[in-house]
Amino acid sequence: MNDPSQQDEREDEAIDVGDTAATEDSTADERIQQLHDKWLRAQAELDNFRKRARKELEDERRYRDLPLLRDLLPVVDNLQRAMEAAEQNAENESLLHGVKIVADQLHGVFKQHDCHPIQALGEPFDPNLHEAIQQQPTNEYPPGTVVYVTQIGYLLHERVVRPSQVIVSTAAKSE
């Protein structure tokens, strides 16, 4: 026959087994949730890595000509000086014409590569685009305006290849 004390022990064991199973299920669920969260974070990190790598590759392609353009800018400056000097002497008209053709070709190549001169004259001074080399008091322009460009600056897409060297206006001194 069944002893009542043995039956109580069996019920206690059944309760313990049920509690253990419930605890194991909740621990397993927590572990599954942790692994799922780790997986989601890893996916997000991988997506971010892909986006960063794609942007870096795009920027590398977009700005790969930057060193070459920087090396060519002194040539452009010298051509500009040659044209200014030839304009002073009427005897050099054919030379001036030839230099202008070469300068136009070079500017065309710059344009093909999305390298454009920075418009500075009459514009407000912008330290991101301009390098102030001097200030000049004047009544013609409001203070902080570019009044003279000593060296033309250039942009490759949105990146400054070389800032424009400029003279910036200040308020004229009242006497």
Side-chain angles (χ1 to χ4, degrees), residues 87-138:
E87 287 173 353
Q88 302 299 322
N89 189 348
E91 295 174 13
N92 296 327
E93 191 173 318
S94 62
L95 175 64
L96 176 61
H97 182 69
V99 172
K100 281 185 178 181
I101 290 173
V102 173
D104 289 344
Q105 286 176 334
L106 194 53
H107 285 293
V109 170
F110 275 34
K111 191 174 182 179
Q112 285 176 347
H113 291 275
D114 290 316
C115 185
H116 304 281
I118 296 172
Q119 298 302 319
L121 187 62
E123 298 290 323
F125 175 74
D126 181 351
N128 297 313
L129 301 174
H130 309 132
E131 179 183 346
I133 59 170
Q134 187 178 350
Q135 291 184 332
Q136 180 176 338
T138 182

Side-chain angles (χ1 to χ4, degrees), residues 13 23 41 45 51 71 102 123 136 163:
E13 286 176 12
T23 303
R41 278 192 294 277
E45 286 179 22
K51 289 176 187 174
D71 291 343
V102 173
E123 298 290 323
Q136 180 176 338

Side-chain angles (χ1 to χ4, degrees), residues 136-143 145 147 169-170 172:
Q136 180 176 338
T138 182
N139 289 326
E140 293 179 41
Y141 294 96
T145 303
V147 295
S169 66
T170 59

Side-chain angles (χ1 to χ4, degrees), residues 148-169:
Y148 188 75
V149 178
T150 60
Q151 187 177 55
I152 298 172
Y154 288 87
L155 291 172
L156 177 62
H157 302 285
E158 303 86 35
R159 191 174 289 175
V160 175
V161 178
R162 176 180 77 186
S164 295
Q165 289 185 349
V166 298
I167 296 175
V168 181
S169 66

Side-chain angles (χ1 to χ4, degrees), residues 25-73:
D25 284 346
S26 67
T27 304
D29 288 343
E30 289 174 9
R31 182 70 178 144
I32 289 170
Q33 185 62 41
Q34 288 173 349
L35 291 173
H36 182 69
D37 290 346
K38 275 185 164 180
W39 177 76
L40 287 176
R41 278 192 294 277
Q43 284 296 108
E45 286 179 22
L46 181 60
D47 287 343
N48 289 337
F49 172 77
R50 285 180 180 150
K51 289 176 187 174
R52 275 192 314 273
R54 190 176 309 119
K55 180 167 179 7
E56 287 174 6
L57 184 61
E58 188 177 296
D59 283 350
E60 178 66 30
R61 286 181 184 152
R62 192 173 187 157
Y63 299 111
R64 70 177 171 246
D65 296 332
L66 191 63
L68 175 63
L69 293 171
R70 281 191 178 132
D71 291 343
L72 287 175
L73 288 179

